[in-house]
């Protein structure tokens, strides 16, 4: 079970849009619509931002959106705000053997 | 809300067993709607799923940790526990307990996390 692949860092200016990719395999992202995304501020526990690839929990801004194509999932943040500066992690369910795997995390910097 | 609270020693000696408990309040752990799990994060590094348990006691583990991990559930006390054997410095991390949704396989509630340091 290998970690999902995310870019180490992304950056953008306020008001812009950024996309964070998350690449897995045909055993996880490619086979299941169970990709979730988490936002983590320093010293805090992660918080769920996207589940089942593209669904937003209640209370999460509609500036956050998710998608999937093949073995790669993506998180897009539109209308970037300073408060979005955080670490973002993707996670996929691994199916047959009931496992979960995380990406290495992406640090978002708002310039 | 479904508060989750980790408890246990913050310091464990190498080769010993790391033991943590997660107390669930505000709802029953005996629900077929959720798994209960442990995730860890070495300081300054990424998240790693350790394992999960269903209320029935069925467990699922990260293959890389499976030989050293036990997760159990106590439905009477509404808590679940983690044991990680033969620890080394590489096991130093923030340990989070969490609730995983059965239907959508996401982690919708996290404990605040507890730092466990492995050192003599």
């Amino acid at each position: 079970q290998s970690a999902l692949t995310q870019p180490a860092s992304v950056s953008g200016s306020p008001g812009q849009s950024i996309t964070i990719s998350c690449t897995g395999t045909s055993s996880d992202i490619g086979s299941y619509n169970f990709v979730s995304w988490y936002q983590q501020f320093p010293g805090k526990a992660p918080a769920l931002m996207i589940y089942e690839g593209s669904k937003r929990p209640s209370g999460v801004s509609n500036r956050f959106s998710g998608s999937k194509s093949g073995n790669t999932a993506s998180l897009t943040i539109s209308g970037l705000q300073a408060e979005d500066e955080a670490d973002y992690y993707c996670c996929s369910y691994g199916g047959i053997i009931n496992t979960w795997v995380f990406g290495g995390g992406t640090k978002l910097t708002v310039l | 809300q479904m508060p989750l609270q980790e408890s246990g020693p913050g310091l464990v000696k190498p080769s010993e067993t790391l033991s943590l408990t997660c107390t669930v309040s505000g709802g029953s752990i005996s629900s077929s709607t959720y798994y209960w799990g442990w995730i860890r994060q070495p300081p300054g590094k990424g998240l790693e799923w350790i394992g999960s348990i269903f209320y029935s006691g069925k467990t699922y583990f990260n293959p890389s940790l499976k030989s050293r991990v036990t997760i159990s559930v106590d439905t009477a006390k509404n808590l679940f526990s983690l044991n990680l054997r033969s620890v080394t410095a590489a096991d130093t991390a923030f340990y989070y307990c969490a609730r995983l949704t059965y239907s959508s396989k996401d982690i919708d509630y996290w404990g605040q996390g507890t730092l466990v340091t492995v050192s003599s």
Side-chain angles (χ1 to χ4, degrees):
Chain A
Q1 184 187 35
S2 300
L4 308 176
T5 301
Q6 298 180 232
S9 63
V10 297
S11 62
S13 299
Q16 289 184 332
S17 294
I18 63 94
T19 297
I20 299 172
S21 61
C22 171
T23 302
T25 69
S26 57
S27 297
D28 38 62
I29 293 178
S31 292
Y32 303 95
N33 277 327
F34 293 133
V35 176
S36 50
W37 289 89
Y38 302 87
Q39 178 188 61
Q40 186 180 35
F41 295 110
K44 300 295 186 182
L48 179 64
M49 304 302 285
I50 296 287
Y51 67 100
E52 288 187 69
S54 61
K55 298 178 180 179
R56 278 188 309 275
S58 174
V60 172
S61 170
N62 59 9
R63 297 186 299 104
F64 291 82
S65 62
S67 63
K68 190 189 89 165
S69 177
N71 296 339
T72 298
S74 298
L75 173 71
T76 297
I77 308 174
S78 59
L80 209 56
Q81 299 179 1
E83 68 198 46
D84 300 329
E85 187 163 290
D87 294 326
Y88 292 85
Y89 292 90
C90 60
C91 181
S92 178
Y93 175 65
I96 294 177
I97 54 174
N98 276 292
T99 59
W100 282 258
V101 60
F102 284 96
T106 298
K107 181 176 180 59
L108 169 62
T109 301
V110 180
L111 301 171
Chain B
Q1 289 292 325
M2 177 67 72
L4 305 169
Q5 180 65 59
E6 306 91 351
S7 59
L11 181 64
V12 180
K13 290 181 168 58
S15 80
E16 296 190 344
T17 297
L18 179 161
S19 296
L20 295 174
T21 295
C22 182
T23 300
V24 179
S25 55
S28 174
I29 203 170
S30 300
S31 169
S32 60
T33 310
Y34 304 109
Y35 303 92
W36 305 92
W38 293 94
I39 294 113
R40 71 180 183 178
Q41 183 174 36
K45 297 187 178 180
L47 300 167
E48 180 180 36
W49 172 74
I50 299 171
S52 300
I53 189 166
F54 206 43
Y55 78 100
S56 62
K58 178 67 175 172
T59 51
Y60 312 92
F61 299 116
N62 186 323
S64 69
L65 298 169
K66 184 175 183 177
S67 64
R68 298 194 290 132
V69 175
T70 302
I71 296 176
S72 59
V73 63
D74 187 331
T75 55
K77 295 181 178 179
N78 223 40
L79 58 81
F80 60 105
S81 301
L82 168 71
N83 280 343
L84 179 64
R85 297 176 291 278
S86 303
V87 297
T88 69
D91 295 309
T92 293
F94 289 92
Y95 285 77
Y96 296 96
C97 63
R99 189 179 84 171
L100 296 82
T101 306
Y102 183 84
S103 60
S104 54
K105 308 295 191 277
D106 57 78
I107 305 164
D108 64 347
Y109 281 101
W110 298 68
Q112 65 185 24
T114 187
L115 176 62
V116 179
T117 301
V118 178
S119 175
S120 55

